Amino acid sequence: MKVVDTIATILSLGSVLLAFIELEDNYSDDGKDRNVSSPQGHAMRAGISIATFFLVIFVGKHHYFSYKIARERQTTSEGVGSTFVKSSSFRWMLFEVAYCAIHCPPGIDIEFTFEQLDGTLILSLDAICCCIMLLRIYILGRVVKHYNKFANDHAD
């Protein structure tokens, strides 16, 4: 679990950092239109997509391993005959995988225009996805739990 959560944290924080760098590149108007991806931006988005793919795999592994551990310790309320697919861990895994899969794929440059307060607000899909991806830092809490000396069995 410790290794799986550590790798998931590295992938999560790395993809968020790369998404913010790509967002700045996407928004800048240095020699290109604003909110249009550059070739470097497409490469960064491809890296984010690859990191997101592996993050989803490690999130699935985390939930599967936590289900197996809870079942071995017999701390789960589900019966011995239940499977992972029928467990509540599976439902949480589906929710978390759906959330962690949110990212802006390469080649998609969509803008949303809103009229408000006598002006126009232009938001790109890249900016919206980047803000949603920022909440991936919740995975950091899992890895802190593994490396914190107050969260081990001896602290109880």
Side-chain angles (χ1 to χ4, degrees), residues 33-66:
D33 292 333
R34 185 167 278 172
N35 290 329
V36 175
S37 295
S38 64
Q40 298 90 355
H42 288 300
M44 285 188 268
R45 283 188 187 182
I48 294 166
S49 296
I50 292 168
T52 299
F53 173 75
F54 286 111
L55 175 63
V56 164
I57 290 172
F58 280 101
V59 164
K61 283 185 176 186
H62 166 82
H63 284 283
Y64 181 72
F65 289 154
S66 65

mmCIF file of all heavy atoms in Angstrom, residues 33-66:
data_model
loop_
_atom_site.group_PDB
_atom_site.id
_atom_site.type_symbol
_atom_site.label_atom_id
_atom_site.label_comp_id
_atom_site.label_asym_id
_atom_site.label_seq_id
_atom_site.Cartn_x
_atom_site.Cartn_y
_atom_site.Cartn_z
ATOM 1 N N ASP A 33 -1.988 32.602 -30.976
ATOM 2 C CA ASP A 33 -3.253 33.072 -30.413
ATOM 3 C C ASP A 33 -3.379 32.592 -28.977
ATOM 4 O O ASP A 33 -2.862 31.530 -28.605
ATOM 5 C CB ASP A 33 -4.432 32.537 -31.231
ATOM 6 C CG ASP A 33 -4.498 33.143 -32.622
ATOM 7 O OD1 ASP A 33 -4.004 34.279 -32.787
ATOM 8 O OD2 ASP A 33 -5.029 32.476 -33.528
ATOM 9 N N ARG A 34 -4.074 33.369 -28.171
ATOM 10 C CA ARG A 34 -4.297 32.985 -26.780
ATOM 11 C C ARG A 34 -5.272 31.811 -26.718
ATOM 12 O O ARG A 34 -6.186 31.713 -27.524
ATOM 13 C CB ARG A 34 -4.850 34.174 -26.009
ATOM 14 C CG ARG A 34 -5.011 33.907 -24.530
ATOM 15 C CD ARG A 34 -5.247 35.166 -23.789
ATOM 16 N NE ARG A 34 -3.937 35.774 -23.575
ATOM 17 C CZ ARG A 34 -3.750 36.976 -23.084
ATOM 18 N NH1 ARG A 34 -4.765 37.726 -22.775
ATOM 19 N NH2 ARG A 34 -2.539 37.456 -22.912
ATOM 20 N N ASN A 35 -5.066 30.914 -25.770
ATOM 21 C CA ASN A 35 -5.869 29.704 -25.563
ATOM 22 C C ASN A 35 -5.798 28.741 -26.743
ATOM 23 O O ASN A 35 -6.739 28.008 -27.023
ATOM 24 C CB ASN A 35 -7.329 30.041 -25.247
ATOM 25 C CG ASN A 35 -7.488 30.661 -23.885
ATOM 26 O OD1 ASN A 35 -6.733 30.363 -22.960
ATOM 27 N ND2 ASN A 35 -8.461 31.538 -23.748
ATOM 28 N N VAL A 36 -4.678 28.743 -27.432
ATOM 29 C CA VAL A 36 -4.416 27.779 -28.501
ATOM 30 C C VAL A 36 -3.117 27.070 -28.132
ATOM 31 O O VAL A 36 -2.117 27.707 -27.826
ATOM 32 C CB VAL A 36 -4.287 28.466 -29.874
ATOM 33 C CG1 VAL A 36 -3.883 27.464 -30.949
ATOM 34 C CG2 VAL A 36 -5.589 29.144 -30.241
ATOM 35 N N SER A 37 -3.151 25.754 -28.164
ATOM 36 C CA SER A 37 -1.994 24.975 -27.734
ATOM 37 C C SER A 37 -0.840 25.082 -28.719
ATOM 38 O O SER A 37 -1.034 25.077 -29.928
ATOM 39 C CB SER A 37 -2.366 23.500 -27.573
ATOM 40 O OG SER A 37 -3.295 23.345 -26.536
ATOM 41 N N SER A 38 0.351 25.128 -28.171
ATOM 42 C CA SER A 38 1.572 25.093 -28.971
ATOM 43 C C SER A 38 2.029 23.637 -29.080
ATOM 44 O O SER A 38 1.484 22.762 -28.399
ATOM 45 C CB SER A 38 2.652 25.940 -28.290
ATOM 46 O OG SER A 38 3.000 25.374 -27.042
ATOM 47 N N PRO A 39 3.024 23.341 -29.906
ATOM 48 C CA PRO A 39 3.540 21.960 -29.954
ATOM 49 C C PRO A 39 4.068 21.482 -28.598
ATOM 50 O O PRO A 39 3.896 20.321 -28.244
ATOM 51 C CB PRO A 39 4.659 22.042 -30.988
ATOM 52 C CG PRO A 39 4.283 23.184 -31.871
ATOM 53 C CD PRO A 39 3.596 24.171 -30.976
ATOM 54 N N GLN A 40 4.684 22.402 -27.835
ATOM 55 C CA GLN A 40 5.139 22.015 -26.495
ATOM 56 C C GLN A 40 3.940 21.728 -25.589
ATOM 57 O O GLN A 40 3.989 20.838 -24.737
ATOM 58 C CB GLN A 40 5.991 23.130 -25.856
ATOM 59 C CG GLN A 40 7.247 23.453 -26.589
ATOM 60 C CD GLN A 40 7.042 24.545 -27.637
ATOM 61 O OE1 GLN A 40 5.929 25.008 -27.881
ATOM 62 N NE2 GLN A 40 8.125 24.925 -28.283
ATOM 63 N N GLY A 41 2.871 22.493 -25.769
ATOM 64 C CA GLY A 41 1.657 22.262 -24.994
ATOM 65 C C GLY A 41 1.032 20.919 -25.289
ATOM 66 O O GLY A 41 0.550 20.234 -24.387
ATOM 67 N N HIS A 42 1.044 20.529 -26.563
ATOM 68 C CA HIS A 42 0.523 19.204 -26.915
ATOM 69 C C HIS A 42 1.372 18.101 -26.294
ATOM 70 O O HIS A 42 0.838 17.087 -25.829
ATOM 71 C CB HIS A 42 0.476 19.035 -28.439
ATOM 72 C CG HIS A 42 -0.604 19.834 -29.101
ATOM 73 N ND1 HIS A 42 -1.934 19.678 -28.815
ATOM 74 C CD2 HIS A 42 -0.535 20.802 -30.044
ATOM 75 C CE1 HIS A 42 -2.647 20.505 -29.549
ATOM 76 N NE2 HIS A 42 -1.813 21.214 -30.300
ATOM 77 N N ALA A 43 2.678 18.289 -26.272
ATOM 78 C CA ALA A 43 3.561 17.297 -25.651
ATOM 79 C C ALA A 43 3.308 17.218 -24.152
ATOM 80 O O ALA A 43 3.281 16.117 -23.574
ATOM 81 C CB ALA A 43 5.023 17.645 -25.933
ATOM 82 N N MET A 44 3.109 18.373 -23.502
ATOM 83 C CA MET A 44 2.813 18.364 -22.065
ATOM 84 C C MET A 44 1.468 17.718 -21.787
ATOM 85 O O MET A 44 1.325 16.958 -20.824
ATOM 86 C CB MET A 44 2.857 19.785 -21.509
ATOM 87 C CG MET A 44 4.257 20.329 -21.349
ATOM 88 S SD MET A 44 4.292 21.901 -20.497
ATOM 89 C CE MET A 44 4.216 23.029 -21.885
ATOM 90 N N ARG A 45 0.475 17.987 -22.622
ATOM 91 C CA ARG A 45 -0.832 17.350 -22.437
ATOM 92 C C ARG A 45 -0.753 15.844 -22.642
ATOM 93 O O ARG A 45 -1.446 15.088 -21.963
ATOM 94 C CB ARG A 45 -1.857 17.944 -23.399
ATOM 95 C CG ARG A 45 -2.358 19.294 -22.978
ATOM 96 C CD ARG A 45 -3.489 19.716 -23.863
ATOM 97 N NE ARG A 45 -3.890 21.082 -23.606
ATOM 98 C CZ ARG A 45 -4.895 21.669 -24.224
ATOM 99 N NH1 ARG A 45 -5.597 21.022 -25.134
ATOM 100 N NH2 ARG A 45 -5.208 22.917 -23.940
ATOM 101 N N ALA A 46 0.085 15.405 -23.572
ATOM 102 C CA ALA A 46 0.276 13.963 -23.752
ATOM 103 C C ALA A 46 0.909 13.357 -22.502
ATOM 104 O O ALA A 46 0.513 12.273 -22.059
ATOM 105 C CB ALA A 46 1.143 13.696 -24.976
ATOM 106 N N GLY A 47 1.866 14.063 -21.909
ATOM 107 C CA GLY A 47 2.470 13.590 -20.659
ATOM 108 C C GLY A 47 1.465 13.533 -19.530
ATOM 109 O O GLY A 47 1.463 12.602 -18.718
ATOM 110 N N ILE A 48 0.582 14.536 -19.468
ATOM 111 C CA ILE A 48 -0.468 14.547 -18.449
ATOM 112 C C ILE A 48 -1.425 13.379 -18.665
ATOM 113 O O ILE A 48 -1.840 12.720 -17.711
ATOM 114 C CB ILE A 48 -1.229 15.894 -18.478
ATOM 115 C CG1 ILE A 48 -0.310 17.027 -18.054
ATOM 116 C CG2 ILE A 48 -2.466 15.843 -17.596
ATOM 117 C CD1 ILE A 48 -0.861 18.407 -18.360
ATOM 118 N N SER A 49 -1.758 13.089 -19.913
ATOM 119 C CA SER A 49 -2.653 11.964 -20.211
ATOM 120 C C SER A 49 -2.036 10.644 -19.802
ATOM 121 O O SER A 49 -2.715 9.774 -19.242
ATOM 122 C CB SER A 49 -2.997 11.949 -21.700
ATOM 123 O OG SER A 49 -3.721 13.089 -22.067
ATOM 124 N N ILE A 50 -0.746 10.477 -20.066
ATOM 125 C CA ILE A 50 -0.063 9.236 -19.674
ATOM 126 C C ILE A 50 -0.011 9.115 -18.156
ATOM 127 O O ILE A 50 -0.285 8.049 -17.596
ATOM 128 C CB ILE A 50 1.344 9.189 -20.304
ATOM 129 C CG1 ILE A 50 1.228 9.031 -21.825
ATOM 130 C CG2 ILE A 50 2.186 8.068 -19.712
ATOM 131 C CD1 ILE A 50 2.522 9.264 -22.574
ATOM 132 N N ALA A 51 0.327 10.211 -17.467
ATOM 133 C CA ALA A 51 0.365 10.191 -16.002
ATOM 134 C C ALA A 51 -1.015 9.918 -15.419
ATOM 135 O O ALA A 51 -1.150 9.186 -14.431
ATOM 136 C CB ALA A 51 0.917 11.512 -15.474
ATOM 137 N N THR A 52 -2.056 10.473 -16.039
ATOM 138 C CA THR A 52 -3.421 10.240 -15.572
ATOM 139 C C THR A 52 -3.817 8.778 -15.761
ATOM 140 O O THR A 52 -4.464 8.189 -14.893
ATOM 141 C CB THR A 52 -4.399 11.164 -16.313
ATOM 142 O OG1 THR A 52 -4.034 12.520 -16.043
ATOM 143 C CG2 THR A 52 -5.823 10.927 -15.895
ATOM 144 N N PHE A 53 -3.420 8.180 -16.868
ATOM 145 C CA PHE A 53 -3.709 6.764 -17.109
ATOM 146 C C PHE A 53 -3.107 5.899 -16.008
ATOM 147 O O PHE A 53 -3.778 5.042 -15.427
ATOM 148 C CB PHE A 53 -3.177 6.356 -18.488
ATOM 149 C CG PHE A 53 -3.284 4.893 -18.767
ATOM 150 C CD1 PHE A 53 -4.507 4.328 -19.080
ATOM 151 C CD2 PHE A 53 -2.166 4.073 -18.708
ATOM 152 C CE1 PHE A 53 -4.615 2.962 -19.339
ATOM 153 C CE2 PHE A 53 -2.264 2.719 -18.965
ATOM 154 C CZ PHE A 53 -3.490 2.160 -19.282
ATOM 155 N N PHE A 54 -1.837 6.134 -15.697
ATOM 156 C CA PHE A 54 -1.190 5.335 -14.650
ATOM 157 C C PHE A 54 -1.737 5.679 -13.267
ATOM 158 O O PHE A 54 -1.821 4.809 -12.398
ATOM 159 C CB PHE A 54 0.324 5.497 -14.703
ATOM 160 C CG PHE A 54 0.946 4.760 -15.853
ATOM 161 C CD1 PHE A 54 1.497 5.445 -16.918
ATOM 162 C CD2 PHE A 54 0.961 3.376 -15.880
ATOM 163 C CE1 PHE A 54 2.044 4.771 -17.985
ATOM 164 C CE2 PHE A 54 1.509 2.684 -16.939
ATOM 165 C CZ PHE A 54 2.062 3.383 -17.997
ATOM 166 N N LEU A 55 -2.134 6.934 -13.052
ATOM 167 C CA LEU A 55 -2.741 7.308 -11.774
ATOM 168 C C LEU A 55 -4.039 6.543 -11.552
ATOM 169 O O LEU A 55 -4.291 6.053 -10.449
ATOM 170 C CB LEU A 55 -3.004 8.815 -11.738
ATOM 171 C CG LEU A 55 -3.757 9.354 -10.517
ATOM 172 C CD1 LEU A 55 -2.957 9.121 -9.242
ATOM 173 C CD2 LEU A 55 -4.076 10.820 -10.700
ATOM 174 N N VAL A 56 -4.837 6.419 -12.581
ATOM 175 C CA VAL A 56 -6.098 5.679 -12.473
ATOM 176 C C VAL A 56 -5.825 4.214 -12.121
ATOM 177 O O VAL A 56 -6.521 3.621 -11.297
ATOM 178 C CB VAL A 56 -6.906 5.817 -13.788
ATOM 179 C CG1 VAL A 56 -8.008 4.788 -13.884
ATOM 180 C CG2 VAL A 56 -7.468 7.215 -13.908
ATOM 181 N N ILE A 57 -4.786 3.642 -12.699
ATOM 182 C CA ILE A 57 -4.424 2.250 -12.370
ATOM 183 C C ILE A 57 -4.026 2.131 -10.903
ATOM 184 O O ILE A 57 -4.465 1.215 -10.195
ATOM 185 C CB ILE A 57 -3.288 1.762 -13.302
ATOM 186 C CG1 ILE A 57 -3.823 1.589 -14.716
ATOM 187 C CG2 ILE A 57 -2.681 0.466 -12.787
ATOM 188 C CD1 ILE A 57 -2.762 1.305 -15.747
ATOM 189 N N PHE A 58 -3.216 3.068 -10.416
ATOM 190 C CA PHE A 58 -2.763 2.988 -9.026
ATOM 191 C C PHE A 58 -3.886 3.310 -8.040
ATOM 192 O O PHE A 58 -3.886 2.769 -6.929
ATOM 193 C CB PHE A 58 -1.546 3.896 -8.805
ATOM 194 C CG PHE A 58 -0.277 3.269 -9.278
ATOM 195 C CD1 PHE A 58 0.283 3.640 -10.494
ATOM 196 C CD2 PHE A 58 0.357 2.286 -8.540
ATOM 197 C CE1 PHE A 58 1.447 3.059 -10.947
ATOM 198 C CE2 PHE A 58 1.521 1.696 -8.981
ATOM 199 C CZ PHE A 58 2.076 2.071 -10.187
ATOM 200 N N VAL A 59 -4.838 4.143 -8.418
ATOM 201 C CA VAL A 59 -6.007 4.376 -7.565
ATOM 202 C C VAL A 59 -6.822 3.087 -7.452
ATOM 203 O O VAL A 59 -7.284 2.724 -6.368
ATOM 204 C CB VAL A 59 -6.857 5.540 -8.113
ATOM 205 C CG1 VAL A 59 -8.239 5.562 -7.501
ATOM 206 C CG2 VAL A 59 -6.150 6.853 -7.859
ATOM 207 N N GLY A 60 -6.983 2.382 -8.561
ATOM 208 C CA GLY A 60 -7.678 1.098 -8.527
ATOM 209 C C GLY A 60 -6.956 0.090 -7.661
ATOM 210 O O GLY A 60 -7.575 -0.645 -6.876
ATOM 211 N N LYS A 61 -5.626 0.056 -7.762
ATOM 212 C CA LYS A 61 -4.849 -0.861 -6.921
ATOM 213 C C LYS A 61 -4.993 -0.506 -5.446
ATOM 214 O O LYS A 61 -5.086 -1.390 -4.596
ATOM 215 C CB LYS A 61 -3.371 -0.809 -7.315
ATOM 216 C CG LYS A 61 -3.042 -1.564 -8.564
ATOM 217 C CD LYS A 61 -1.546 -1.557 -8.795
ATOM 218 C CE LYS A 61 -1.181 -2.391 -9.997
ATOM 219 N NZ LYS A 61 0.263 -2.524 -10.154
ATOM 220 N N HIS A 62 -5.010 0.782 -5.138
ATOM 221 C CA HIS A 62 -5.156 1.198 -3.739
ATOM 222 C C HIS A 62 -6.461 0.664 -3.151
ATOM 223 O O HIS A 62 -6.465 0.100 -2.060
ATOM 224 C CB HIS A 62 -5.122 2.726 -3.632
ATOM 225 C CG HIS A 62 -5.593 3.233 -2.308
ATOM 226 N ND1 HIS A 62 -4.779 3.275 -1.202
ATOM 227 C CD2 HIS A 62 -6.811 3.686 -1.898
ATOM 228 C CE1 HIS A 62 -5.465 3.741 -0.179
ATOM 229 N NE2 HIS A 62 -6.700 4.006 -0.590
ATOM 230 N N HIS A 63 -7.548 0.849 -3.868
ATOM 231 C CA HIS A 63 -8.843 0.408 -3.350
ATOM 232 C C HIS A 63 -8.934 -1.111 -3.288
ATOM 233 O O HIS A 63 -9.516 -1.652 -2.346
ATOM 234 C CB HIS A 63 -9.977 0.988 -4.188
ATOM 235 C CG HIS A 63 -10.220 2.429 -3.896
ATOM 236 N ND1 HIS A 63 -10.886 2.858 -2.780
ATOM 237 C CD2 HIS A 63 -9.859 3.551 -4.561
ATOM 238 C CE1 HIS A 63 -10.947 4.181 -2.776
ATOM 239 N NE2 HIS A 63 -10.325 4.611 -3.860
ATOM 240 N N TYR A 64 -8.359 -1.796 -4.249
ATOM 241 C CA TYR A 64 -8.386 -3.255 -4.214
ATOM 242 C C TYR A 64 -7.567 -3.786 -3.041
ATOM 243 O O TYR A 64 -8.020 -4.674 -2.307
ATOM 244 C CB TYR A 64 -7.859 -3.821 -5.535
ATOM 245 C CG TYR A 64 -7.885 -5.332 -5.575
ATOM 246 C CD1 TYR A 64 -9.093 -6.007 -5.693
ATOM 247 C CD2 TYR A 64 -6.717 -6.069 -5.469
ATOM 248 C CE1 TYR A 64 -9.135 -7.390 -5.716
ATOM 249 C CE2 TYR A 64 -6.744 -7.442 -5.488
ATOM 250 C CZ TYR A 64 -7.944 -8.102 -5.615
ATOM 251 O OH TYR A 64 -7.980 -9.472 -5.626
ATOM 252 N N PHE A 65 -6.374 -3.216 -2.836
ATOM 253 C CA PHE A 65 -5.544 -3.662 -1.717
ATOM 254 C C PHE A 65 -6.179 -3.315 -0.367
ATOM 255 O O PHE A 65 -6.107 -4.109 0.577
ATOM 256 C CB PHE A 65 -4.142 -3.062 -1.798
ATOM 257 C CG PHE A 65 -3.303 -3.619 -2.905
ATOM 258 C CD1 PHE A 65 -2.281 -2.861 -3.449
ATOM 259 C CD2 PHE A 65 -3.518 -4.879 -3.424
ATOM 260 C CE1 PHE A 65 -1.498 -3.352 -4.470
ATOM 261 C CE2 PHE A 65 -2.747 -5.391 -4.438
ATOM 262 C CZ PHE A 65 -1.733 -4.629 -4.973
ATOM 263 N N SER A 66 -6.801 -2.146 -0.260
ATOM 264 C CA SER A 66 -7.442 -1.791 1.008
ATOM 265 C C SER A 66 -8.635 -2.712 1.286
ATOM 266 O O SER A 66 -8.883 -3.070 2.442
ATOM 267 C CB SER A 66 -7.879 -0.330 1.013
ATOM 268 O OG SER A 66 -8.876 -0.106 0.054
#
